[in-house]
Amino acid sequence: MESGATEDRDFVASLEKGLAVIEAFDADRPRMTLTDVANRTGITRAAARRYLKTLTRLNYADFDGRYFSLSPRILRLGYAYMASSSLATRVQPFLERISAQTGESSSAAILDGDDIVYIARSATQRIMSVNLGVGTRLPAYCTSLGRAILAYQPDEALEAYLKRVRLEPRTPRTLTKKQELRAALETVRQEGCAVINEELELGLRSIAVPLFQANGTVRVALNIGTQAVRVPADEMKTRFLPPLLEATETLRRIL
């Protein structure tokens, strides 16, 4: 009882709500009214107003009289993670080598909640309508990076994910039935890689492999993405799996 009480005293609810306000903004909602933010975060308009006004006063947000939006200063928060993490720094040279060998873009991502977050990227060309970069978030269920990580999560964590996730159809090819996703993740475990064929965006194919930590856990994956017109689906593994496996094998020894 005493331990739980201590944990409650150490938890700052106002900080949690402030972070929720920041996370409410994304590529689909870069500008929102006070009411929009309150509805999206589930907090009152009065509370949302205080958080937004505080962010604006600290120059983390802008306000034009009707709409709020995040300001470039917010990048300091992401940079603090990148600057303090050696993972992205160590992975980057391997991505650049993969791109040089294949002529395709390569990326590394971690699992954050139900999304993947890009932590490093070597882009040879733009392959999606959304401009991918460090910090970009995408759903885990329909990305090769996400499936390569999800497939190796503990059974309890994976079951919890499958129960709560909503499988929205990003394209007509997206797996939207949970039994299909479960089967796809089992295939990833059997084959050691995840291949996505136009499930995230039409015209895009990608392949990813998990990066195993020394203790056997997986929290990072590496991938190669390409345009479907450039590489047939049946050539994804033969062309791109060897350089990916070579990179992860070396990284596993040095991380």
Side-chain angles (χ1 to χ4, degrees):
M1 187 70 178
E2 181 178 348
S3 175
T6 300
E7 290 178 1
D8 290 341
R9 287 197 302 269
D10 290 339
F11 186 82
V12 183
S14 59
L15 177 59
E16 177 190 30
K17 293 177 180 177
L19 293 173
V21 168
I22 292 174
E23 292 179 350
F25 295 88
D26 56 25
D28 296 325
R29 303 171 183 82
R31 300 168 68 244
M32 291 190 286
T33 65
L34 171 60
T35 300
D36 292 335
V37 173
N39 290 339
R40 187 155 167 75
T41 58
I43 62 179
T44 65
R45 291 182 79 257
R49 182 179 184 278
R50 290 196 299 273
Y51 293 120
L52 288 167
K53 288 295 186 179
T54 299
L55 289 170
T56 301
R57 185 168 181 177
L58 295 174
N59 296 320
Y60 284 108
D62 295 323
F63 181 57
D64 64 6
R66 175 173 172 75
Y67 292 99
F68 290 91
S69 60
L70 297 181
S71 75
R73 185 185 178 93
I74 206 75
L75 292 172
R76 291 188 178 188
L77 302 180
Y79 180 75
Y81 166 75
M82 296 304 298
S84 63
S85 172
S86 63
L87 178 59
T89 302
R90 294 186 181 184
V91 167
Q92 187 64 42
F94 289 88
L95 298 182
E96 293 173 359
R97 184 182 307 168
I98 289 171
S99 292
Q101 291 174 339
T102 64
E104 304 290 352
S105 299
S106 59
S107 308
I110 61 172
L111 186 67
D112 182 31
D114 295 343
D115 298 331
I116 56 163
V117 178
Y118 285 74
I119 61 169
R121 180 163 168 77
S122 175
T124 60
Q125 59 185 316
R126 184 165 176 170
I127 59 174
M128 284 186 64
S129 58
V130 175
N131 190 23
L132 297 177
V134 173
T136 297
R137 302 179 71 93
L138 291 173
Y141 68 89
C142 58
T143 58
S144 61
L145 288 162
R147 288 189 190 170
I149 301 174
L150 286 172
Y152 295 92
Q153 297 309 294
D155 291 341
E156 184 177 339
L158 182 57
E159 287 303 317
Y161 169 81
L162 290 171
K163 285 183 180 179
R164 68 176 180 267
V165 70
R166 294 183 60 185
L167 305 181
E168 302 288 349
R170 299 289 295 251
T171 77
R173 293 177 176 268
T174 308
L175 297 185
T176 56
K177 295 181 179 180
K178 295 189 176 180
Q179 60 267 32
E180 293 177 339
L181 178 58
R182 192 189 301 274
L185 295 178
E186 180 57 33
T187 298
V188 173
R189 291 182 66 93
Q190 293 174 0
E191 299 183 351
C193 66
V195 179
I196 292 292
N197 187 12
E198 300 187 84
E199 290 189 48
L200 176 64
E201 183 171 298
L202 289 176
L204 172 68
R205 293 190 176 114
S206 64
I207 181 171
V209 296
L211 176 55
F212 288 93
Q213 304 296 113
N215 60 4
T217 61
V218 174
R219 65 187 184 96
V220 183
L222 274 58
N223 90 335
I224 294 173
T226 186
Q227 294 172 338
V229 295
R230 288 164 52 86
V231 181
D234 59 2
E235 293 184 15
M236 291 293 291
K237 293 179 185 177
T238 56
R239 290 177 61 169
F240 300 140
L241 192 54
L244 285 171
L245 291 176
E246 180 183 1
T248 54
E249 183 60 31
T250 303
L251 281 166
R252 184 178 185 179
R253 294 196 297 265
I254 67 176
L255 289 181

